[in-house]
Structures are given as structure tokens and as C-alpha cells.
Amino acid sequence: MRSAKELQRLMQWHYASIRLPRLGRPLAWVTSGAPVELLRAAGVVAVYPENYGALCGAQHQAVALCQKAESEGYSPDLCSYARTSLGSVIAPESAPLGGLPRPDLLIACNNICSTVVKWYETLSDRFQVPLFVLDLPFIHDRLTPAMTAYAVTQLRDLVTFLERECRRKVSGAKLGEAVRQANETVRLWTEIHELCQAHPSPLNVPDLFVNMAPIVVLRGTASATRFYRHLRDEVAERVREGVGAIAEERYRLLWDNIAIWHHLYRLFNYFAEQGACFVVDTYTTAWSAEIPRGDLLESLAEAYAGVYLNRSLEFRARRMIDMIQAYDVSGFVMHGNRSCKPYSLGQVETRRLVTEMTGAPGLLIEADMCDSRAFAPEPIRTRIQAFIETLESSGREMRGEAQGERR
Amino acid sequence: MAKVGMQDSLRWLDDPYADWPERFPGRKAIGYFCSYVPLEILHAAGLTPVRILQLGSTAAAAHAHFPAFSCAMARTALERLVSSQLGFLNAVVFAHTCDTMQCLADAWRMVDSSQRVLHFSLPTTLDAAGSVEYVLNAHHQLLGELELLSGVRVSEEALLASIALYEERRRLLAELYRARESLGAGELWRITVAGLLMPVEEHLTLLGRAISSLSDAPARFGTGPRLAVAGTALHDGSLLELIEELGGQVVADNLCTGERAFQGQVDLQHHSDALAALTARALERPICPAKHKVGQEAAARILELVRSSRADGVVFVQPKYCDPCAFDYVPQRKALEEAGIPHVVVETETGACGAQARTRLQALLEMLS
């Protein structure tokens, strides 16, 4: 894709810029679900250990770093982003890019998992720097006024924390601008996803996994918005010209969970060889919540408490059912990710419900997002093969005329 | 060792759920998982809280619903639900703790929609701005849902009466734990865990009996190395018995099936009402590893446990796939090493301990002897 070069330049610029002199601006390590708009308004330089973990996983560097963490006593059963990150802190000389620059602050929001709280406690202890935990209650049923009030009170406290640590006021104008940029980015990212409803789909899920980096690490900046505008234009052009992501789209599938970074292309190419394209997924679409209008802190509270991983298994099953219908999906693959309990525990139940409601069969494969030691290629290939045969025998292949109609 | 002879009368702990309704007839049972659930409110609503533990289950292979990389407590609980062993519970209360319990709460209602699930939405950060108001609201919310469930309007008087019973239990348990060195850790574990599964009134009788027989028995002060046991829930007392069999003394623990289950008092004098006082206890108790609180970091917690009990060594009980425990272990181990306190880790999956645990404990005790 044309935008691949732009993406590469953008991410290289990001990882280079965080090492530049910051003229008094503190650098924070931030979890992927934290309200970064407040940090941008405070002038904080935000870096994302989870994105760094994905990068190490994709470059096949994560296992060596995980082993460094394990040699200090961290269990190999813990999240591999956390182990990779801790390994890069223990042995920066063996880490890609020499690890991340030392943080001045740590901001962890538990709307994606509880692991980040423990992981960032560990970082705070190691670096002896302040940690702010933003505690957003999990939504089993609905977001209650008490939950919103609790979140808003903490967001106010976060503002106070940032103003103290940055020795400057959090500017309302800058916050408004960061929110406007974030919303614009989210709208473009959503538009890009929706373009994949076309037959054939202009993108396959590895394209989405690779292109999601800026929405995580540069959300709320003009450079992210610019990148997604170009990407949207390119994807729209592919749809107009009927260019599909894979050679022959026979099956349209949904992917659930974080990518298996160390086998990203090998795994999805294997599907693609058999005509299976992943047209939608539950992970890259998780960054699709716009911050609603109204009181800014209340809006941030609602948007960040309502993220996909902070919602119930039933909510997620309903979301998958909606996606299956909207994207004309005939089957789904779930990654039982040893590293991510909140994403993976309960997949047996969501699979059952989704299949009951849609008739689409689901395949559950156990692996790990970064730790390739937990990946068994041959048994997984066999199971994928059997799954494709199921799709074929149940007549869930795309019909030619349907492809033509929907293009 | 002073034996109070509870082992035979508490044999039902080997499989506590199978005949619970027959054992405690006329009681309306409500299940719960976490020691943060305010039992006083459940009791005031006319319900008998029954903690769901791994007791009597070795369902290490039970991962039809949850994957093998989840803790055995969650897997065995789901297995019990599926096999209708928990049908006698009128509802189950989940307090927000770790990722696994969060998923279990959702899976519970998907696996068996006939059983009511109530959520006690406890924060992770117990000293966050706004946490007092939020936890107070969570108590009110839970009370409202329990009233709907039981059809009983719970008065302040009823809450105060229930609090009095549980405060009495905490007092008696504390008394018993002060005598732990002569009572025996396995026995103490049984008596404590029995209380998590039986009506509080009957548990008070049992505690009274245990205390009086203790005072009749000749006191025996141990001479072996003094060990503290650190972890979360201990689903089997055999590890504690093994420590004693090998010549050690268990002098302290921070388990939620042990000392931590009843630490902290309900201070009615300094709070406006029962729920405000319960809220304060929840926020001020020593924390579970899944919680976050400034001043109660992992290293500080283990050093305090050792300091307050004058322990010579520490036994970490690590349930396999328990992330909060696994994260805490590293700074705790480091803190102990810096303080010159020997320690071992015993990883548990079914609760019972095997040959590896024996070897490790032997090595620790030899080091300390």
C-alpha cells in the first residue's frame, strides 16, 4: 500500500522524537486505554509499552526479553507485553531501540486489564517515579451514574497530578484541540473499517493490525489525523476499483483478540492462500469510541469506561454478532491468548452464543501475542484446514453474484 | 499440641457443597467468592453466605469452559456450576477483584442463566479520589439488590445486629489466632474456612467450643522455625499441616482464607450508619494482591507480615495462573532477600501439596534450624 511508507516514517519519527530533548516536558509511559488527550493538553510526551511489546513481538525479539524478565522471577504465565517490557528495562542493551526512554511518570488505566496495574506498580518501584492509576469500574451491565462520578473525580485528580508533575496548568483549549483531533482520527479509523464491508474487502486484518499503531500511540495529534486521512483515501480508492486485499476472497472471516505478532503474516497468509480474508476484528475496532460532546471530563469518563474490553462477555458477543451481519462474515477465529485473560477467558461462551445467533462457525486457537514458545504451528495449521473445510462443506463460501452486488 | 478435636466434626469440609441444604436446613444460601463481599449485608437480608472455594475438587482438567491458563479456582467453580452442585444457592455475589473473576462473573450467567448474579463493584484503587463515595454506593446498591432477591426490607437495626454477630466472630477468631502456635495451623485453617461455609451463628458456637477446649488443654509453645504464609486463598490445609509435620510453626498469614478474612473492625462510633462503617472497613483492611493502595505495595506488605509476626522465614503459596500473586512475588522476594529472610515458593493448582512442596519446605526449615 502507498501509505505503508508514510506509516513507517510516522512511527520512526515517533520513536526518534521521544528521545529528543523535551525542554522540561515530562515523558510518561502510558497504557493503551488511558485518556491521552489530558496528557497532550498537559504537554506530556506519551510512550506506549504495549506498542513497544507488539513491535518486539513482530521483530521476534520478545522471547529473549521475556526470558530476561523470567530470570528475575517473573512467571512465564504473565502477560508477554509486561514480560517484554520488564525484560527491556532489565537489559536495554539487548532490546530493540535500546528499550524505551526512562519515564518521568507512569499512567495506567485498568479499562483494558488488571495486569497493567501490577505491571506499572513494578515499573514505579523500579524507576522510583510517580504512578497514577486511573481506576475505571468494569461494566457488567451498564455504565451507572456512580461509575461516571467516580471516574470524573479521578480524572480531576489526574489533572491535579499532571499539573503538579508538569508544573503547568492543563490548558482547556489544548484539551479541546486534543479531543477534536482524537475524534477526527477515530472517525477516519471507523470509516476505514466500514470500507471493509465491500466485497472484496480492501483490507485484511494484518493490514489493520499494522495500521493501528498511530491510533494507539499518536491519538489526539494532527499527524495521526493526517495519516488516517491518507489511508482512508487509499482504501476508498481500492473499493472504487474493486481491489481486494487477497487474491481470491472466498470466505469473509472475523478475528477476535490481539494479533499473534510473531506469526502475523505467516498465519494470515495461510488463511489467504485458501481464500479466507479477515474483513473485521474485535481488536483494532476497539479504538472506535468518539468522545461525546458535553462536559469534557464526563465525556472522557464515558468514552474510556465504555471501551470494548471493559464491557461484559455478552456485550462483546452482541458486538461480534453485529459485525458478522454488517460485514457479511461466514465464520470467525478466536485467538485464545495466554497473555490476555480479560480477552480470552470466556471465549468458549461467547463462541457458543455467537454461533447460536448467527450460524457462523468459530475456531478457537490457543497461542500468545508475543511469546512464540506458546505457538504450535503444525497443530494450528491442521485445525485451520479443518475449519476451512467446515466452511466449505457448510456452503458458507461467498457467492459470486453476492460479491458483484455488494462491490 | 493442644487438639480441640474439630477434625472429625468438620470432615464435611472435604466436600462442603454436596449436602449443604441437608446440613443447614431452612437456610437460604447465597454464594460468594471474595473476602471483600460484605457478609453482614447478606446476613441482614436473611441469607446465609457460602463461600465458593476449591474444596474437595481436583478438577485440574476441567477446562471445558475456561482455558487451561486460568486458575483452578475459577475452573472448578464453573465445573461445579455446570454439574448442578451449586443449585442450592439463591444467587452468587461477585466482588470486582482480578481479570479472572471479572470474566467468571460474566461466564457464570452465560453458563447458567437460572442463577442470579449480583455484582459488588469494588474499586481496584482503594484510596483513589472518590473511592469512599463509590464504595458506599456499591454497598447501597448491593443492599437494594439483596432486598429485591430476598423480599426482605433490611432495616438499620437488622444491619447493626448482623454487624454485631460478625464483629463477635472477628473477635473470637482473633483470639484463636493469637493461640495459633498451640492450636495447630491445619486445625485453625479448618475452623476459619468452616466459618466461610456455615451460618455465622453456628460458627460462633464452634469458635466458643474451640476456645474453651483450648484453655483446658495444656499449652504448648513451639520451638521450631517461625514461618509466615503469604498468598491469597488456600484451598487445602495440608500445606500448613506439612509445615508443622516438618518441624516448623506457622505464626502468621495474609490469606483471605486465613487471617486477612477477618482483619479490620467495623467502627460504628465514627461513622454515620452501618453501611458507612462497612465501607470504611472495606477500604482500610490490609489489601488483597489484586488491589492497589499507596503504602501497601507488595514489598511493604511482606515486610510488615514478617515484622509483626517475628517470622524467621516466608512460604509463598502461589496459585498457578494467579497474576496478582505472580507480580507481587518478585518485589517481595527481593525485599526479603535484602532483609535476610529465607523463603520458598509453593505453586498450587489443586490446593493439596505434593512431593515438590515437601522438598522445598524441608530445605527452608533445614536452613532455619
Side-chain angles (χ1 to χ4, degrees):
Chain A
M1 291 179 72
R2 279 199 310 272
S3 41
K5 275 216 167 75
E6 190 180 342
L7 174 71
Q8 197 185 7
R9 275 199 304 272
L10 186 60
M11 294 311 292
Q12 278 173 349
W13 169 81
H14 167 70
Y15 277 104
S17 69
I18 57 179
R19 283 161 212 284
L20 296 173
R22 298 190 297 274
L23 308 170
R25 295 170 68 199
L27 183 138
W29 287 17
V30 184
T31 61
S32 64
V36 69
E37 296 79 5
L38 278 175
L39 278 67
R40 305 232 184 271
V44 171
V45 177
V47 303
Y48 287 83
E50 289 159 67
N51 178 258
Y52 180 75
L55 182 149
C56 294
Q59 293 184 3
H60 302 274
Q61 303 288 321
V63 171
L65 294 172
C66 287
Q67 284 168 331
K68 297 275 183 205
E70 289 157 23
S71 68
E72 284 222 354
Y74 293 100
S75 163
D77 298 324
L78 288 172
C79 161
S80 55
Y81 280 168
R83 278 180 290 137
T84 301
S85 159
L86 292 167
S88 76
V89 173
I90 294 162
E93 67 286 354
S94 357
L97 309 168
L100 292 173
R102 184 189 158 83
D104 303 305
L105 308 172
L106 299 160
I107 313 285
C109 179
N110 62 353
N111 57 351
I112 49 166
C113 65
S114 302
T115 281
V116 293
V117 177
K118 304 302 293 181
W119 170 10
Y120 276 56
E121 278 178 358
T122 305
L123 293 171
S124 176
D125 183 43
R126 280 188 173 266
F127 288 118
Q128 290 292 302
V129 295
L131 160 66
F132 190 96
V133 174
L134 178 63
D135 178 21
L136 296 182
F138 186 82
I139 305 175
H140 286 287
D141 295 307
R142 62 187 180 85
L143 181 68
T144 63
M147 288 174 177
T148 308
Y150 177 48
V152 168
T153 308
Q154 289 178 83
L155 286 170
R156 273 200 206 101
D157 197 36
L158 175 57
V159 170
T160 308
F161 171 85
L162 291 170
E163 289 180 340
R164 188 175 63 234
E165 296 299 329
C166 304
R167 296 194 193 91
R168 72 171 84 176
K169 281 284 186 203
V170 171
S171 144
K174 281 189 178 161
L175 177 58
E177 174 56 16
V179 166
R180 195 190 65 74
Q181 290 285 359
N183 277 346
E184 178 63 14
T185 311
V186 163
R187 272 194 289 275
L188 289 162
W189 186 232
T190 303
E191 225 179 298
I192 290 162
H193 277 109
E194 286 170 358
L195 284 164
C196 295
Q197 290 176 2
H199 295 59
S201 171
L203 298 176
N204 191 5
V205 77
D207 306 317
L208 294 163
F209 278 128
V210 169
N211 281 296
M212 71 182 281
I215 199 143
V216 179
V217 305
L218 293 167
R219 196 170 65 257
T221 67
S223 50
T225 311
R226 198 163 44 242
F227 168 73
Y228 285 111
R229 197 168 292 127
H230 296 162
L231 180 64
R232 188 270 322 268
D233 292 346
E234 187 181 354
V235 176
E237 190 182 308
R238 287 171 79 113
V239 172
R240 275 196 306 277
E241 293 171 1
V243 178
I246 68 169
E248 189 197 356
E249 183 183 281
R250 292 173 62 205
Y251 309 103
R252 294 169 64 83
L253 304 180
L254 175 149
W255 175 265
D256 180 56
N257 214 308
I258 302 173
I260 302 172
W261 294 112
H262 47 88
H263 272 76
L264 186 69
Y265 289 107
R266 269 175 288 176
L267 180 74
F268 290 115
N269 285 349
Y270 185 64
F271 277 104
E273 282 162 18
Q274 311 189 55
C277 181
F278 287 85
V279 299
V280 67
D281 72 284
T282 59
Y283 186 59
T284 65
T285 48
W287 283 264
S288 58
E290 281 187 48
I291 297 154
R293 281 167 186 274
D295 175 85
L296 268 180
L297 292 188
E298 215 166 280
S299 304
L300 282 171
E302 283 173 22
Y304 281 96
V307 301
Y308 185 73
L309 274 181
N310 206 41
R311 306 297 297 258
S312 69
L313 294 177
E314 288 108 319
F315 176 93
R316 296 183 215 171
R318 280 200 305 275
R319 176 73 68 87
M320 285 172 67
I321 291 163
D322 289 347
M323 284 175 172
I324 284 172
Q325 284 159 356
Y327 287 78
D328 196 20
V329 160
S330 49
F332 57 100
V333 178
M334 303 178 114
H335 168 201
N337 184 354
R338 290 177 64 90
S339 267
C340 191
K341 292 187 175 72
Y343 219 145
S344 309
L345 271 48
Q347 276 174 318
V348 170
E349 302 314 317
T350 43
R351 176 174 66 170
R352 181 181 51 76
L353 189 58
V354 171
T355 299
E356 262 172 32
M357 299 300 289
T358 63
L363 170 69
L364 179 53
I365 50 176
E366 192 178 307
D368 186 283
M369 57 200 183
C370 279
D371 194 338
S372 55
R373 291 170 296 180
F375 190 82
E378 280 317 309
I380 286 178
R381 278 170 83 96
T382 310
R383 298 193 57 216
I384 292 171
Q385 189 57 50
F387 178 66
I388 299 281
E389 281 164 18
T390 306
L391 291 174
E392 202 166 342
S393 63
S394 61
R396 300 192 74 84
E397 201 170 343
M398 288 308 303
R399 297 183 308 276
E401 65 275 24
Q403 291 183 31
E405 279 163 21
R406 293 190 175 94
R407 192 168 281 174
Chain B
M1 185 166 292
K3 283 286 174 195
V4 290
M6 294 292 171
Q7 191 150 9
D8 286 339
S9 63
L10 295 180
R11 204 162 287 288
W12 58 272
L13 287 177
D14 293 344
D15 191 3
Y17 308 106
D19 56 356
W20 198 94
E22 291 77 39
R23 186 172 302 282
F24 305 109
R27 293 279 183 169
K28 282 177 80 175
I30 183 163
Y32 74 101
F33 281 93
C34 171
S35 73
Y36 278 98
V37 171
L39 305 184
E40 294 87 342
I41 305 185
L42 276 54
H43 181 270
L47 299 159
T48 301
V50 179
R51 186 152 169 190
I52 302 171
L53 291 163
Q54 230 177 293
L55 301 172
S57 174
T58 54
H63 43 253
H65 295 273
F66 260 24
F69 54 87
S70 54
C71 72
M73 186 172 92
R75 280 188 278 126
T76 53
L78 270 179
E79 203 57 28
R80 279 204 157 105
L81 178 71
V82 174
S83 57
S84 306
Q85 292 177 51
L86 301 175
F88 70 95
L89 300 174
N90 287 273
V92 173
V93 185
F94 284 88
H96 188 266
T97 46
C98 60
D99 289 334
T100 300
M101 295 310 291
Q102 177 181 297
C103 292
L104 185 65
D106 282 340
W108 203 265
R109 52 188 185 185
M110 290 171 88
V111 167
D112 182 358
S113 58
S114 68
Q115 197 169 68
R116 273 290 298 280
V117 166
L118 306 181
H119 298 289
F120 179 55
S121 182
L122 195 70
T124 295
T125 311
L126 296 176
D127 56 356
S131 62
V132 176
E133 295 77 7
Y134 186 69
V135 176
L136 181 61
N137 182 275
H139 279 82
H140 278 284
Q141 189 85 27
L142 181 64
L143 177 62
E145 289 184 32
L146 288 166
E147 285 180 333
L148 280 178
L149 178 82
S150 63
V152 174
R153 176 94 182 94
V154 178
S155 64
E156 179 72 5
E157 289 68 34
L159 278 172
L160 293 174
S162 296
I163 288 174
L165 282 176
Y166 281 87
E167 282 291 279
E168 176 64 1
R169 171 155 97 172
R170 283 189 272 271
R171 193 184 65 75
L172 294 180
L173 275 165
E175 196 175 331
L176 215 49
Y177 270 73
R178 277 195 294 274
R180 71 194 300 166
E181 288 159 46
S182 46
L183 181 64
E187 187 80 337
L188 195 48
W189 174 85
R190 254 187 302 281
I191 294 171
T192 310
V193 168
L196 309 177
L197 293 150
M198 70 199 296
V200 64
E201 297 82 355
E202 294 185 33
H203 192 226
L204 285 174
T205 310
L206 187 141
L207 288 172
R209 213 150 37 89
I211 288 170
S212 59
S213 49
L214 191 68
S215 58
D216 295 341
R220 174 196 174 281
F221 294 98
T223 51
R226 298 167 61 83
L227 299 183
V229 178
T232 52
L234 185 64
H235 299 265
D236 190 306
S238 63
L239 177 89
L240 304 171
E241 281 163 354
L242 181 60
I243 290 173
E244 291 180 337
E245 183 197 316
L246 296 172
Q249 300 179 71
V250 179
V251 294
D253 71 75
N254 62 7
L255 305 168
C256 62
T257 49
E259 225 170 329
R260 194 159 50 77
F262 60 88
Q263 280 169 333
Q265 290 182 323
V266 181
D267 179 2
L268 290 163
Q269 280 192 338
H270 296 96
H271 294 93
S272 55
D273 61 20
L275 294 189
L278 286 169
T279 297
R281 175 174 181 262
L283 294 175
E284 286 158 21
R285 286 171 58 192
I287 65 168
C288 156
K291 297 292 170 200
H292 175 75
K293 193 173 185 183
V294 172
Q296 289 205 37
E297 289 79 10
R301 274 186 280 125
I302 201 72
L303 291 176
E304 175 56 21
L305 184 70
V306 169
R307 191 201 58 77
S308 60
S309 63
R310 293 178 291 110
D312 303 316
V314 173
V315 179
F316 288 103
V317 184
Q318 297 262 15
K320 181 107 175 119
Y321 304 115
C322 174
D323 292 350
C325 285
F327 269 109
D328 279 358
Y329 168 64
V330 181
Q332 292 189 330
R333 185 185 73 166
K334 188 163 160 266
L336 291 178
E337 277 164 4
E338 283 168 5
I341 306 289
H343 53 86
V344 285
V345 187
V346 177
E347 198 173 58
T348 61
E349 186 143 33
T350 58
C353 47
Q356 203 189 29
R358 175 179 283 272
T359 313
R360 289 185 173 203
L361 290 170
Q362 259 165 348
L364 176 71
L365 288 164
E366 276 167 23
M367 199 190 306
L368 291 169
S369 295

